[in-house]
């Protein structure tokens, strides 16, 4: 038979890629604004017509492009921002995929005008549906202007899919707010159908927040400043009396990138504990700065999720910094501040000056080791892992108990390619009496194998265990529920409530019991066994955010998404220390899984290193 595989022509590939990058006019706005920022612009102008359906234009005074670069910028995977794969781990730019311009040009009419500072003349390029219509020398100011007209002109289905102008403009405004808030040192203006919606000069952060959210905002801002080895926090939280019924004023920026994190959001909520009325949400505008190496920016262009190396520690620092600010500015009664200084975490407050407390990490301090005086309890959140005795920890694994008692029997089901001849791959030293595992950087569980070494990623492994457990409950429809002493009342927006409603049956199969579920309130009277009450709102918020993030084209299976989302919320985080019993239990539970080697999101849960490989390293 003749060969049948062909490479897709570029314009088709670009159109497919465009589906991922460009979902609506707001996506174009985001990409163009980010390019302008990456070009070191200090003034950026956004011009929109008909909610972006007719025109999205961004004009910047950045560094511009050479004639060749201008043409190249529309090629797929053409980027000036990374040279090698390693660069991905220390990103200081917004873009890096080199896909945005190629994608946009595949599904719209694009005109690019650009000039570099040292040149007298610039370039204009016109591209329609990936086809270059013209490239000419032009007179144009230094910087770049990109106008995108007739979005989706060649994909009517997507064009029809766009919402009303009001809705699309709201998406654009949200995107604009995020970018403008993250970059107060850049001046922005924003015009819609000829009228001027925003015009903000270069300014400080407080001024920027006030410019965007209105003069009244000024009096409600409480500064939050904290600098530790791993994390710098700066920005504001809103005074509790100004809290809102919506979450419209909640902004986290990590290295100047807007992100959503139900988990870190919870850190703030818990810092406000006792200060907010039921159903109200704190406002916050917080900039977190971390080492770019310690985060994994989701490779997917439209997602706002980010993965931290050590989320657990960030949670503790963030919560404490916000609590401190609320206390210092006399908003909260001094709360449990004495308690705070011993903060149940591996941190020492070295410098206790009231103004800018600095936290330093004492890597040797392990609050959970037996010899630490007055054993402190778990930090912040309770996943049923740390503060609870092993018995409750185990309750998270109902249905997953190992059949045998020793590690050996569970592990015997695993076959590693390198080790087919052995019925048990564990070295003899894994007999109970000896310590067979240890934790590395509160992130990995290391164990020995007959053939070498096993390194498990605790977070990913636990996600796998929980995922299979939840999936089983959802499909078998037989979960056990634990009744809450006091029903839990939660409030969500109508859209969010709709998402929960759609998943209600599946949620009930995991063990949730709802007594009310309508747009006014959600009342929960029962939760899955092993899920602490304090986690419930995180789980639901994470779930909503996961559903919202799930793109229309992905194969949506509600049960799968729910199981993944709950596993993500409840899995122990990196940075959490585990006792030896907990470590061993984790190992056993992982290898009792159907698919132990990958996380629910298809990342490896463990790696092995054969003795041979170790030996080679010593040669
Ligand atoms: P990415 O931003 O991921 O690199 P894009 O497709 O958005 O990919 O842009 C491709 C390249 O075009 C960028 O790497 C940059 O070199 C150049 N570019 C795009 N927009 C601008 C701009 N406004 N000013 C200067 N250069 C730009
Ligand atoms: Mg870009």
């Amino acid at each position: 038979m003749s060969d049948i595989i062909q490479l897709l022509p570029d314009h088709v590939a670009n159109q497919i890629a465009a589906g991922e990058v460009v979902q609506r006019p707001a996506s174009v706005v985001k990409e163009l604004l980010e390019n302008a920022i990456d070009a070191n612009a200090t003034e950026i102008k956004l011009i929109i017509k008909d909610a972006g359906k007719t025109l999205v234009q961004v004009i910047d005074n950045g560094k511009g492009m050479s004639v060749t670069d201008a043409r190249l910028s529309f090629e797929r995977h053409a980027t000036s921002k990374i040279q090698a794969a390693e660069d991905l781990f220390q990103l200081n730019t917004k873009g890096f995929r080199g896909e945005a311009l190629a994608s946009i040009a595949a599904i719209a009419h694009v005109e690019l005008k650009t000039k570099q500072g040292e040149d007298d003349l610039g370039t204009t390029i016109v591209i329609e549906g990936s086809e270059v219509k013209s490239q000419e020398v032009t007179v144009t100011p230094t910087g770049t202007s990109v106008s995108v007209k007739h979005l989706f002109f060649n994909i009517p289905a997507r064009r029809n899919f766009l919402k009303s102008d009001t809705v699309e403009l709201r998406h654009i405004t949200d995107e604009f707010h995020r970018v403008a808030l993250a970059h107060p040192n850049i001046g922005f203006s924003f015009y819609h159908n000829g009228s001027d919606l925003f015009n903000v000069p270069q300014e400080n952060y407080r001024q920027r927040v006030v410019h965007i959210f209105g003069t009244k905002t000024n009096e409600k801002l409480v500064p939050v400043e904290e600098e530790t080895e791993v994390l710098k926090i700066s920005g504001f939280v809103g005074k509790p009396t100004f809290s809102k019924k919506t979450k419209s004023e909640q902004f986290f920026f990590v290295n100047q990138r807007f992100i959503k994190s139900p988990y870190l959001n919870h850190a703030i909520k818990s810092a406000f504990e006792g200060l907010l009325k039921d159903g109200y949400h704190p406002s916050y505008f917080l900039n977190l700065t971390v080492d770019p190496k310690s985060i994994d920016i989701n490779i997917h262009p439209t997602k706002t999720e980010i993965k931290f190396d050590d989320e657990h520690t960030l949670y503790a620092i963030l919560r404490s910094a916000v609590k401190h600010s609320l206390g210092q500015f006399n908003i909260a009664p001094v709360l449990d501040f004495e308690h705070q200084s011993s903060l149940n975490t591996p941190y020492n407050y070295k410098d206790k000056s009231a103004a800018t407390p600095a936290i330093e990490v004492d890597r040797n301090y392990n609050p959970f080791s037996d010899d630490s005086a007055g054993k402190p309890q778990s930090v912040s959140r309770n996943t049923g892992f740390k503060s609870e005795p092993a018995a409750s920890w185990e309750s998270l694994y109902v249905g997953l108990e190992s059949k045998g008692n020793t590690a050996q029997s569970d592990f015997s089901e695993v076959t590693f390619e390198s080790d087919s001849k052995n019925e048990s791959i564990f070295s003899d030293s894994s007999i109970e009496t000896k310590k067979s595992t240890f934790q590395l950087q509160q992130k990995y569980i290391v164990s020995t194998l007959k053939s070498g070494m096993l390194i498990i990623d605790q977070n990913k492994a636990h996600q796998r265990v929980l995922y299979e457990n939840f999936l089983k409950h959802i499909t078998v429809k037989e979960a056990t529920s634990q009744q809450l002493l006091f029903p839990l009342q939660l409030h969500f927006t109508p859209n969010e409530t709709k998402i929960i409603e759609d998943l209600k049956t599946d949620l009930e199969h995991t063990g949730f019991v709802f007594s009310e579920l309508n747009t006014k309130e959600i009342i929960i009277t029962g939760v899955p066994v092993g899920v602490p009450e304090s986690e419930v709102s995180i789980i639901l918020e994470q779930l909503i955010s996961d559903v919202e993030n799930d793109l229309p084209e992905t194969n949506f299976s509600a049960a799968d998404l729910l199981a993944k989302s709950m596993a993500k919320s409840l899995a122990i985080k990196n940075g959490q220390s585990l006792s030896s019993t907990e470590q061993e239990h984790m190992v056993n539970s992982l290898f009792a899984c159907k698919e132990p080697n990958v996380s629910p999101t298809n990342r490896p849960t463990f790696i092995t290193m054969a003795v041979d490989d170790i030996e080679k390293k010593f040669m």
Side-chain angles (χ1 to χ4, degrees), residues 149-361:
K149 292 182 189 155
H150 312 305
L151 188 65
F152 298 131
F153 78 99
N154 49 359
I155 318 181
R158 293 209 72 121
R159 203 173 162 83
N160 295 336
F161 184 72
L162 293 178
K163 299 271 165 38
S164 68
D165 282 10
T166 326
V167 173
E168 294 300 338
L169 185 64
R170 204 180 61 227
H171 284 288
I172 292 176
T173 313
D174 283 350
E175 214 57 78
F176 175 80
H177 282 168
R178 293 169 182 178
V179 174
L181 276 174
H183 298 275
N185 55 340
I186 298 178
F188 287 93
S189 48
F190 174 9
Y191 305 85
H192 183 237
N193 291 342
S195 60
D196 150 347
L197 296 187
F198 280 97
N199 203 330
V200 289
Q202 293 177 261
E203 56 195 345
N204 67 30
Y205 192 51
R206 180 185 277 270
Q207 291 164 327
R208 179 58 52 94
V209 172
V210 171
H211 258 131
I212 290 183
F213 294 98
T215 345
K216 277 202 284 222
T217 320
N218 198 19
E219 55 173 313
K220 76 179 196 188
L221 298 179
V222 181
V224 181
E225 298 288 337
E226 180 67 278
E227 191 159 355
T228 74
E229 247 179 49
V230 287
L231 168 70
K232 179 168 176 271
I233 306 171
S234 77
F236 304 97
V237 292
K239 291 180 189 164
T241 40
F242 293 91
S243 58
K244 308 191 92 178
K245 277 206 134 170
T246 69
K247 294 175 204 154
S248 57
E249 293 187 356
Q250 302 193 328
F251 294 88
F252 278 125
F253 300 95
V254 172
N255 298 355
Q256 298 193 299
R257 200 183 275 273
F258 172 80
I259 63 138
K260 284 190 185 155
S261 166
Y263 181 56
L264 294 184
N265 175 58
H266 190 269
I268 300 198
K269 255 171 96 178
S270 86
F272 272 83
E273 206 176 310
L275 300 171
L276 291 178
K277 271 187 282 176
D278 231 21
Y280 281 76
H281 303 282
S283 303
Y284 54 85
F285 313 90
L286 293 170
N287 299 297
L288 314 184
T289 313
V290 298
D291 181 348
K293 286 197 207 81
S294 74
I295 48 174
D296 177 1
I297 294 157
N298 195 306
I299 288 291
H300 199 285
T302 55
K303 289 194 178 173
T304 45
E305 263 184 38
I306 196 172
K307 198 165 171 327
F308 297 97
D309 259 8
D310 186 353
E311 222 177 0
H312 190 66
T313 301
L314 300 195
Y315 183 105
I317 300 174
L318 191 59
R319 176 169 174 272
S320 134
V322 171
K323 257 188 154 176
H324 181 94
S325 291
L326 291 173
Q328 203 183 26
F329 289 83
N330 268 331
I331 285 133
V334 186
L335 295 163
D336 44 352
F337 250 99
E338 283 82 47
H339 192 71
Q340 279 289 298
S341 56
S342 65
L343 196 103
N344 311 333
T345 71
Y347 294 93
N348 280 335
Y349 284 92
K350 279 242 176 100
D351 172 7
K352 280 205 184 173
S353 83
T356 46
I359 298 176
E360 290 227 338
V361 184

Side-chain angles (χ1 to χ4, degrees), residues 73-99:
S73 67
F74 289 101
E75 293 295 324
R76 212 138 63 92
H77 307 305
T79 180
S80 54
K81 298 168 194 173
I82 58 171
Q83 256 106 53
E86 297 84 74
D87 297 351
L88 273 175
F89 302 102
Q90 31 207 344
L91 280 174
N92 291 310
T93 54
K94 310 267 159 200
F96 55 90
R97 300 175 195 90
E99 263 180 346

